[in-house]
Amino acid sequence: MKQLFTTFYQLKERISLDFIRYLYHEIRWDNRLIAITGARGTGKTTLMLQYIKEHYPGYGNEALYVSLDNIWFTTHSLFELTDEFQKMGGKALFLDEVHKYPTWSREIKNIYDSYPDIKIVFTGSSLLEIHKGEADLSRRAVTYHLHGLSFREFLLFEYGYKMEALTLSDILTRHIEMAMNVNKQLKPLVAFNEYLTYGYFPFYKEDKILYHEKLLATLNTILDVDLPSTEKIDYYSIGKIKKLFAILAGLVPYIPNISMLSKEIEVSRISLLNYLSYLQKAQAILLLDKEASGIKQLAKPEKIYLGNTNYAYALGGEKTDIGNVRETFFFNQTVVKHKVTYSSQIDFTLNETYNFEIGGKNKTQKQLAGVENGYLALDNIEIGFNNEIPLWLFGLMY
């Protein structure tokens, strides 16, 4: 127990409050049980430590952060930790990487029921579904999901440029004013191209040169480690999932032929659709569906994209298709706050109301003929006009 506190104090001491992710201010921290999910590298650990540093200063015993893959848990249980912590005057437990601890859901449920004065905040893989554990925590826990950096956050993280998140209404009705405000402070197209290439995960700051290599290594770890710890899946299937991702990476944006893919991967249709669902939960791919409720497991998606634009550059390098990058960016950024659906006539529909075509600055209005609430989201323009909106503005919504 002493060693856990020593490690925690050292981590808290090193944490910075200079840059705080968007989700920090959306979480209702007064809830007794909070779950934060997200892909590796999005900043879940930092988020918790920042909250502790701000609300539990000093080196007391009221709060404790532990990662559940700590070797301490090979000979001790989480319930045992909580009992000792409570006797020391502890009030808030922050548990990281819960998917690494086999009985996490049952023990957290027991702790929640047995220690009503203890608040618990826990993080887990984006693959984690809290209702699927040994104990269904969905009725007790308030769940939040942390996405990668938005373009707005990247501007703050990289350039120190701070601005409030824009609403979709702001962008559709006041995009000229919004764009001009940004242009007074910086050149958005330069920053935008940087963001598309390497700005989605905060760990790009550690080494921009080796970022793409680390990005793919992180995805590999998600599939090798996180996936087996959250789903009943064997090594053979993981190999098939990696093969599927490699194939999709060369095809996106891709209108899937499930029969063809099943044959190429050498798995059944049901297995293939399960694999697509796993890759989606891992945020390796984005699945676009016709229905506003989003992709259903075991239902065929209408179109498949990579999870973010950084994957496109990590895999494609100089041969990366810019049309694919533009559509991936729009989908990736807008889906955080809005329902994004497929249409056979245009690229994307938001909230079943607003229709968007994505392209370069020379794209015409042809595709929007006869389309209500139609807009062009255009790359390589700093300021828009009428229904022509700079593509980069759609990265300022969270």
Side-chain angles (χ1 to χ4, degrees):
M1 192 77 170
K2 177 183 176 182
Q3 183 57 47
L4 294 180
F5 269 100
T6 300
T7 302
F8 159 54
Y9 293 150
Q10 291 171 343
L11 287 170
K12 189 171 74 165
E13 184 67 27
R14 291 198 294 266
I15 208 70
S16 170
L17 298 174
D18 292 342
F19 173 74
I20 294 176
R21 295 295 316 278
Y22 75 97
L23 192 64
Y24 185 95
H25 301 292
E26 295 182 5
I27 294 173
R28 296 182 62 184
W29 292 99
D30 55 341
N31 282 291
R32 267 193 65 210
L33 185 58
I34 297 169
I36 304 171
T37 62
R40 280 176 177 264
T42 49
K44 302 184 296 299
T45 301
T46 300
L47 197 72
M48 287 200 300
L49 289 169
Q50 286 174 328
Y51 179 81
I52 297 170
K53 188 162 189 170
E54 187 172 11
H55 292 84
Y56 298 94
Y59 303 101
N61 298 334
E62 287 191 343
L64 173 62
Y65 161 89
V66 293
S67 180
L68 295 195
D69 61 356
N70 191 298
I71 194 171
W72 190 86
F73 291 102
T74 59
T75 54
H76 301 81
S77 72
L78 179 55
F79 196 88
E80 179 185 344
L81 169 74
T82 307
D83 187 62
E84 290 187 38
F85 177 61
Q86 192 258 354
K87 289 173 181 175
M88 295 171 64
K91 295 181 179 179
L93 265 179
F94 296 81
L95 310 174
D96 211 0
E97 304 269 29
V98 298
H99 56 281
K100 302 282 187 67
Y101 188 88
T103 56
W104 66 271
S105 61
R106 186 179 70 227
E107 292 197 45
I108 288 176
K109 175 186 177 296
N110 290 340
I111 292 166
Y112 180 89
D113 294 339
S114 303
Y115 297 92
D117 295 330
I118 298 288
K119 178 168 80 173
I120 302 170
V121 181
F122 68 89
T123 74
S125 164
S126 58
L127 291 149
L128 196 70
E129 294 185 54
I130 64 171
H131 65 276
K132 273 192 171 182
E134 293 181 1
D136 183 356
L137 294 176
S138 59
R139 294 181 182 178
R140 294 172 172 82
V142 180
T143 304
Y144 298 90
H145 186 79
L146 183 61
H147 295 265
L149 293 175
S150 66
F151 180 48
R152 182 187 72 87
E153 291 182 301
F154 175 78
L155 290 177
L156 176 59
F157 196 40
E158 183 69 12
Y159 288 91
Y161 177 71
K162 186 175 184 179
M163 65 175 295
E164 295 297 317
L166 303 182
T167 66
L168 181 59
S169 176
D170 287 334
I171 293 173
L172 298 185
T173 61
R174 302 168 56 211
H175 62 86
I176 296 175
E177 174 191 345
M178 301 292 105
M180 290 187 73
N181 288 340
V182 176
N183 273 272
K184 290 175 184 176
Q185 303 296 322
L186 52 83
K187 292 294 184 183
L189 294 182
V190 174
F192 184 53
N193 286 326
E194 292 172 347
Y195 172 79
L196 295 176
T197 307
Y198 58 74
Y200 189 68
F201 289 98
F203 62 79
Y204 81 82
K205 280 265 193 177
E206 297 169 10
D207 190 335
K208 292 178 184 177
I209 294 174
L210 295 178
Y211 168 70
H212 286 155
E213 184 178 326
K214 185 173 180 180
L215 177 64
L216 296 179
T218 300
L219 176 59
N220 205 49
T221 302
I222 291 171
L223 298 179
D224 282 339
V225 179
D226 296 350
L227 182 54
S229 66
T230 56
E231 301 285 346
K232 294 179 180 178
I233 194 165
D234 56 23
Y235 183 77
Y236 171 82
S237 297
I238 292 171
K240 295 289 185 181
I241 292 170
K242 289 182 179 180
K243 182 178 180 180
L244 174 61
F245 178 75
I247 291 171
L248 293 175
L251 298 173
V252 292
Y254 173 57
I255 299 175
N257 182 322
I258 299 300
S259 297
M260 184 197 76
L261 277 176
S262 299
K263 187 177 294 186
E264 191 160 358
I265 303 296
E266 298 180 302
V267 295
S268 69
R269 175 188 175 87
I270 292 176
S271 291
L272 181 75
L273 292 170
N274 275 322
Y275 294 170
L276 288 173
S277 177
Y278 296 151
L279 286 171
Q280 182 198 33
K281 290 175 187 174
Q283 295 176 245
I285 61 173
L286 294 166
L287 303 178
L288 188 63
D289 193 55
K290 277 185 177 178
E291 296 182 9
S293 57
I295 183 68
K296 307 286 196 306
Q297 192 168 345
L298 304 184
K300 172 184 172 295
E302 295 298 329
K303 213 167 184 180
I304 300 174
Y305 292 85
L306 288 175
N308 61 78
T309 62
N310 294 179
Y311 280 138
Y313 283 103
L315 294 162
E318 295 180 357
K319 297 179 181 178
T320 302
D321 179 73
I322 190 61
N324 167 28
V325 168
R326 291 164 178 161
E327 290 186 31
T328 300
F329 167 79
F330 184 89
F331 189 4
N332 168 276
Q333 296 286 283
T334 56
V335 76
V336 174
K337 297 289 185 180
H338 302 280
K339 293 177 179 177
V340 185
T341 50
Y342 171 84
S343 167
S344 58
Q345 188 173 351
I346 46 87
D347 289 327
F348 301 100
T349 298
L350 295 191
N351 303 335
E352 300 182 288
T353 302
Y354 306 104
N355 299 294
F356 295 88
E357 270 291 303
I358 318 299
K361 62 182 179 180
N362 296 319
K363 191 174 184 69
T364 68
Q365 301 275 343
K366 182 179 178 181
Q367 289 295 116
L368 296 179
V371 175
E372 292 185 6
N373 298 312
Y375 299 88
L376 294 178
L378 302 181
D379 195 9
N380 294 318
I381 63 169
E382 293 183 337
I383 310 291
F385 179 73
N386 286 339
N387 70 334
E388 298 178 3
I389 303 173
L391 177 62
W392 56 266
L393 272 177
F394 292 93
L396 307 180
M397 295 198 292
Y398 74 89

